[in-house]
């Protein structure tokens, strides 16, 4: 039998790659692993809503039933609070960043989307958690907004958890990408996908094609080319699931700008940057059409950006189309839209 390597063992082994590591980052990663096991359990119970009660109502025992995304947010915050290694968090569920009590001297901040793919939560389709870890740049004391508004290239670790037919956690600390599958019988994430690499030439495209008429002519041309070449088309509508498939099978995941949403839909800090870090570490690309996602200036916590990520052959082609005219490069040329 092959030796099982659990996530906790793997994190400790890898800590040795960093000569002056103190174990704080390892502790944080383990805490996120723990929170995601609990979230996975709650997500799996979601099908029992008729028995345990609908979110926003009271269950049979008179307890109020929380929405899953709110519960996931609180679980992550409380696991990070216990760790003592994180001085603050920012997440999709909170308007502003949240300093962590009694941890004001901790070195790290964490940003996350606790449960991404909200439209899929109630219909038993894959959803996910996304996280990004940064070293704080402010001095000791309460964390500051600037600790969170760092470029994606400054991430020290990032990852995602996909709650799918099985639960998987995939993460990077900038030395490759590794994936772990939750063995629920022993309650451990076990290394199942070592050193993940995205295929360099993908042949699947993933976009909400229902918005075709709202895309710029360049994006429409790209979609037309994909259809002409009879590429495969897949779109779950949960970014984590679509990116996870792209990472394993190759292809391109896109959420471009439209006239009504000139910055696209997806959030730079806790959706795009962490997944872009993983994609690049796996040998892929992540772009807003003209710039590397990881180098976009962050000015707001909930900033959005158009995104194209995955196999280099397809991301390069989108960039080529969008950059044909220099003025076309910005915001996917929304001004040229009908
Ligand atoms: P959410 O944060 O409200 O869940 O929205 C993000 C999700 C992504 O997971 C997914 O890629 C996208 O929204 C799908 O949007 P659309 O339904 O417009 O295709
Ligand atoms: Mg989201």
């Amino acid at each position: 039998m092959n030796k099982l390597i659990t996530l906790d063992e793997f994190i400790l082994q890898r800590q040795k790659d960093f000569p002056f590591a103190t174990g704080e980052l390892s502790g944080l990663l383990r805490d996120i692993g723990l929170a995601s096991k609990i979230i996975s359990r709650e997500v799996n119970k979601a099908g029992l809503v008729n028995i345990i009660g609908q979110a926003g109502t009271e269950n049979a025992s008179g307890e109020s039933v929380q929405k899953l995304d709110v519960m996931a947010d609180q679980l992550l915050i409380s696991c990070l609070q216990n760790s003592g290694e994180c001085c603050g968090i920012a997440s999709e569920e909170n308007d502003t960043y949240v300093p962590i009590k009694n941890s004001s001297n901790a070195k790290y901040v964490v940003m996350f989307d606790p449960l991404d793919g909200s439209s899929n939560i109630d219909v038993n389709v894959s959803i996910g958690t996304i996280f990004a870890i940064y070293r704080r740049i402010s001095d000791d004391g309460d964390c500051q907004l600037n600790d969170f508004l760092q470029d994606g290239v400054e991430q020290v670790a990032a990852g995602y958890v996909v709650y799918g037919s099985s639960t998987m956690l995939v993460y990077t600390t900038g030395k490759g990408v590794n994936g772990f599958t939750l063995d629920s019988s022993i309650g451990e994430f076990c290394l199942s996908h070592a050193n993940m690499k995205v295929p360099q030439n993908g042949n699947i495209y993933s976009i909400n094609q229902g918005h075709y008429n709202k895309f710029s002519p360049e994006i429409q041309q790209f979609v037309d080319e994909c259809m002409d070449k009879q590429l495969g088309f897949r779109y779950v509508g949960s970014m984590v699931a679509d990116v996870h498939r792209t990472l394993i099978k190759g292809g391109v995941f896109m959420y471009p700008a439209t006239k009504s949403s000139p910055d696209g839909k997806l959030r730079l800090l806790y959706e795009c940057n962490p997944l872009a870090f993983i994609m690049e570490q796996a040998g892929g690309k992540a772009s807003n059409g003209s710039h590397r996602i990881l180098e976009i200036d962050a000015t707001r916590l909930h900033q959005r950006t158009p995104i194209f990520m995955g196999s280099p052959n397809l991301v390069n082609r989108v960039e080529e189309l969008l950059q044909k005219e220099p003025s076309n490069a910005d915001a996917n040329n929304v001004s040229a839209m009908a």
Side-chain angles (χ1 to χ4, degrees), residues 92 113 116-118 208 211 235 237-239 253 255 265-266 271:
E92 179 164 346
D113 184 350
D116 181 61
S118 43
N208 188 336
H211 296 163
Y235 190 71
S238 287
M239 186 186 194
F253 168 78
Y255 209 108
K265 173 179 183 187
L266 301 174
E271 292 178 328

Side-chain angles (χ1 to χ4, degrees), residues 182-193:
L182 182 62
D183 180 338
S184 46
S185 65
I186 55 169
E188 295 280 6
F189 281 108
C190 300
L191 181 64
S192 53
H193 295 62

Side-chain angles (χ1 to χ4, degrees), residues 185-227:
S185 65
I186 55 169
E188 295 280 6
F189 281 108
C190 300
L191 181 64
S192 53
H193 295 62
N195 198 17
M196 297 170 84
K197 292 287 173 213
V198 64
Q200 295 296 292
N201 287 298
N203 52 19
I204 299 173
Y205 73 107
S206 185
I207 189 168
N208 188 336
Q209 204 159 333
H211 296 163
Y212 182 89
N213 290 336
K214 295 196 265 172
F215 296 151
S216 68
E218 292 78 13
I219 300 297
Q220 288 179 336
Q221 183 180 337
F222 181 75
V223 170
D224 293 347
E225 287 181 9
C226 291
M227 288 195 291

